[in-house]
C-alpha cells in the first residue's frame, strides 16, 4: 500500500506474485540489481477488457526507473509516446505513438532508461488493435507467434497485467503508525 507521501508500507510479495516471475526470471535477468531494494517490492494488477485502455502517462518519481510487466490472458498493444512537443498531434487531433509494442500472453516487457524517462505509455481504448505487422509493431520480429495477426488486426479479449516495480521509499509497519492515525 502506498501512502500519501509515496511511501510503501513494507510487506513481502505474496508467493504467487513472487514465483515464478521474480524468482527465478527477474532474478536471473538481474534487471532490479541496481535498484535500491534489488528486487521489486510492489505489484500493480490491472485487468483490461475489450474497449478499455489507459491514457498516455508516466509512472513518476515514487519508483525506481524500471518496470517489469507480465501480460496474462490476451495480447494487447502498448503505445509509447514521446513526451509532448509541439506538432505531435495527428490529423484527427490525437497523439501518434512513436512506437507500438505487441505484448503477447505470458510475455515479459522490461522498460527502463530512456524508454522509462523520455516516453509516456498508454493503451488505446478500442475493441480491435490494428496495423499489426512488421511496419506497425516495434517488436514484430521478436514475437513468438504472428499467426493470430496475419490479417493485420486482433479483436481484443480480456488481458491482465502484473506490473512489478521498486518503490523508493519504504517504511516498516512499526514506523508507519503516523500514516495510519486519524488525528484524534
Amino acid at each position: 500500500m502506498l501512502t500519501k507521501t509515496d511511501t510503501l508500507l513494507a510487506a513481502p510479495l505474496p508467493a504467487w506474485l513472487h514465483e515464478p516471475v521474480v524468482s527465478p526470471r527477474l532474478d536471473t535477468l538481474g534487471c532490479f540489481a541496481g535498484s535500491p531494494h534489488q528486487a521489486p517490492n510492489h505489484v500493480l494488477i490491472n485487468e483490461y477488457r475489450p474497449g478499455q485502455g489507459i491514457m498516455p502517462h508516466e509512472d513518476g518519481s515514487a519508483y525506481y526507473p524500471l518496470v517489469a510487466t507480465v501480460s496474462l490472458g490476451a495480447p494487447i498493444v502498448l503505445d509509447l509516446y514521446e513526451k509532448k512537443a509541439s506538432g505531435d498531434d495527428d490529423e484527427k487531433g490525437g497523439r501518434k505513438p512513436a512506437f507500438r509494442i505487441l505484448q503477447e500472453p505470458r510475455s515479459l516487457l522490461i522498460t527502463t532508461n530512456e524508454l522509462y524517462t523520455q516516453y509516456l505509455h498508454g493503451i488505446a481504448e478500442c475493441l480491435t488493435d490494428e496495423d499489426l505487422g512488421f511496419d506497425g509493431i516495434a517488436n514484430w520480429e521478436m514475437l513468438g507467434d504472428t499467426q493470430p495477426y496475419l490479417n493485420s488486426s486482433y479483436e481484443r479479449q480480456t488481458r491482465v497485467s502484473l506490473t512489478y516495480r521498486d518503490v523508493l521509499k519504504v517504511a516498516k509497519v512499526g514506523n508507519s503508525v503516523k500514516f495510519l492515525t486519524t488525528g484524534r
Side-chain angles (χ1 to χ4, degrees):
M1 174 175 89
L2 286 178
T3 66
K4 290 180 183 178
T5 60
D6 292 334
T7 302
L8 178 73
L9 298 179
L13 293 179
W16 63 273
L17 286 172
H18 191 269
E19 294 187 26
V21 177
V22 176
S23 176
R25 286 165 180 79
L26 293 179
D27 288 345
T28 300
L29 293 172
C31 56
F32 283 94
S35 75
H37 303 98
Q38 299 180 344
N41 58 10
H42 181 264
V43 180
L44 177 65
I45 302 170
N46 282 315
E47 178 184 72
Y48 296 92
R49 294 184 180 171
Q52 293 181 323
I54 187 167
M55 64 185 279
H57 66 281
E58 60 185 333
D59 288 339
S61 60
Y63 307 103
Y64 180 75
L66 183 143
V67 174
T69 305
V70 175
S71 288
L72 302 173
I76 204 160
V77 173
L78 179 73
D79 296 319
L80 297 162
Y81 301 83
E82 292 184 53
K83 288 191 177 174
K84 189 72 175 160
S86 60
D88 277 0
D89 294 343
D90 67 15
E91 62 278 355
K92 297 175 188 169
R95 298 194 58 193
K96 185 175 178 183
F99 304 102
R100 298 172 68 229
I101 296 173
L102 180 60
Q103 294 183 258
E104 293 179 285
R106 301 182 66 200
S107 66
L108 170 65
L109 175 65
I110 298 173
T111 308
T112 189
N113 299 325
E114 292 81 21
L115 207 53
Y116 184 91
T117 59
Q118 302 302 314
Y119 290 84
L120 304 176
H121 58 279
I123 296 171
E125 292 181 345
C126 61
L127 296 173
T128 304
D129 284 313
E130 310 231 357
D131 298 322
L132 305 180
F134 180 79
D135 293 332
I137 299 296
N139 64 324
W140 186 257
E141 292 181 329
M142 298 173 68
L143 297 177
D145 182 13
T146 58
Q147 191 73 27
Y149 322 110
L150 290 181
N151 66 353
S152 187
S153 67
Y154 177 81
E155 189 173 324
R156 284 208 187 152
Q157 298 173 28
T158 301
R159 178 233 185 195
V160 173
S161 66
L162 306 177
T163 304
Y164 289 81
R165 299 185 183 106
D166 185 351
V167 177
L168 299 175
K169 293 181 190 176
V170 177
K172 296 191 190 285
V173 174
N175 297 331
S176 301
V177 175
K178 65 182 176 187
F179 296 123
L180 303 174
T181 60
T182 60
R184 284 193 235 170

